[in-house]
Amino acid sequence: MTTASGATAVQIIYSYGGGATSMEHIGSAHSDTELAALKAEVARRLQGDQLELGLDLDVTDISAVRGTGTEEQPWEVTAQRSGYLLDAIGTAYRAIGLDVAAGSDDVFAGLVTARILQPVSEYDSMRRLAEAGATSASYSTIKSRLPRYATDEFRDAVTSVCADHAGIGPTSLVLCDVTTL
């Protein structure tokens, strides 16, 4: 937010259950260096005692707001994106090597992300991704890709990168509890 003097005000806005909000003014920046220092302070305060994920994320992609934050014109959230969560899932997806195994298939990546967010059907995965602020392929595109994902070649590629990442060798035995599935 730009102040009357032309500085950039940096604030943390907290939202509580029941609609209550509060605002904490961190400071005003007159240069890019001061703005970077104030953003670092915001990150430190929001992080608290939690360990850092080690991801370089921009907090500006989380939500879009309208209003002045005053009693006459309170903040109104106009858009929301679960940026940290989506970025963390994407980073893990790439770290494991699934992007290479799936051949940079955005539809498969979207389905994996949706299943991590909430185990839902292929059709509901579109809704779940939209709720998180991510884009999804159409249902017809998802349906047309499913036969490819069921091939032995595709499953072997995905299984291989997952096993390599987990350090599971050819003589390992993995047991999974699937009673809820």
Side-chain angles (χ1 to χ4, degrees):
M1 182 167 110
T2 305
T3 65
S5 68
T8 302
V10 178
Q11 302 163 339
I12 300 174
I13 299 174
Y14 299 96
S15 177
Y16 306 99
T21 59
S22 66
M23 180 175 64
E24 179 182 359
H25 181 77
I26 305 302
S28 297
H30 297 279
S31 69
D32 289 341
T33 304
E34 290 176 353
L35 183 60
L38 289 172
K39 282 185 173 183
E41 176 62 17
V42 167
R44 188 193 64 76
R45 289 188 189 192
L46 292 177
Q47 181 180 331
D49 292 332
Q50 297 180 6
L51 296 175
E52 200 170 321
L53 287 174
L55 303 174
D56 185 21
L57 304 173
D58 185 1
V59 296
T60 58
D61 73 344
I62 295 174
S63 64
V65 294
R66 184 175 28 216
T68 60
T70 64
E71 204 170 303
E72 297 81 34
Q73 189 181 12
W75 294 105
E76 174 190 355
V77 177
T78 58
Q80 187 169 326
R81 179 178 180 270
S82 301
Y84 289 127
L85 179 59
L86 293 173
D87 291 343
I89 292 170
T91 299
Y93 182 87
R94 290 184 299 280
I96 292 171
L98 287 173
D99 57 332
V100 175
S104 300
D105 187 336
D106 291 338
V107 176
F108 183 73
L111 288 172
V112 169
T113 301
R115 293 292 168 95
I116 291 171
L117 294 173
Q118 181 180 9
V120 293
S121 68
E122 288 83 11
Y123 187 78
D124 274 346
S125 68
M126 297 181 311
R127 173 194 54 81
R128 188 62 192 105
L129 287 170
E131 287 174 354
T135 57
S136 172
S138 68
Y139 184 59
S140 60
T141 300
I142 293 171
K143 283 192 330 187
S144 70
R145 298 279 178 94
L146 290 178
R148 177 178 178 247
Y149 305 149
T151 64
D152 288 339
E153 179 183 334
F154 188 86
R155 285 186 292 181
D156 288 346
V158 170
T159 301
S160 176
V161 296
C162 289
D164 288 346
H165 183 76
I168 298 173
T171 59
S172 299
L173 174 65
V174 179
L175 301 175
C176 299
D177 178 7
V178 293
T179 55
T180 59
L181 300 177

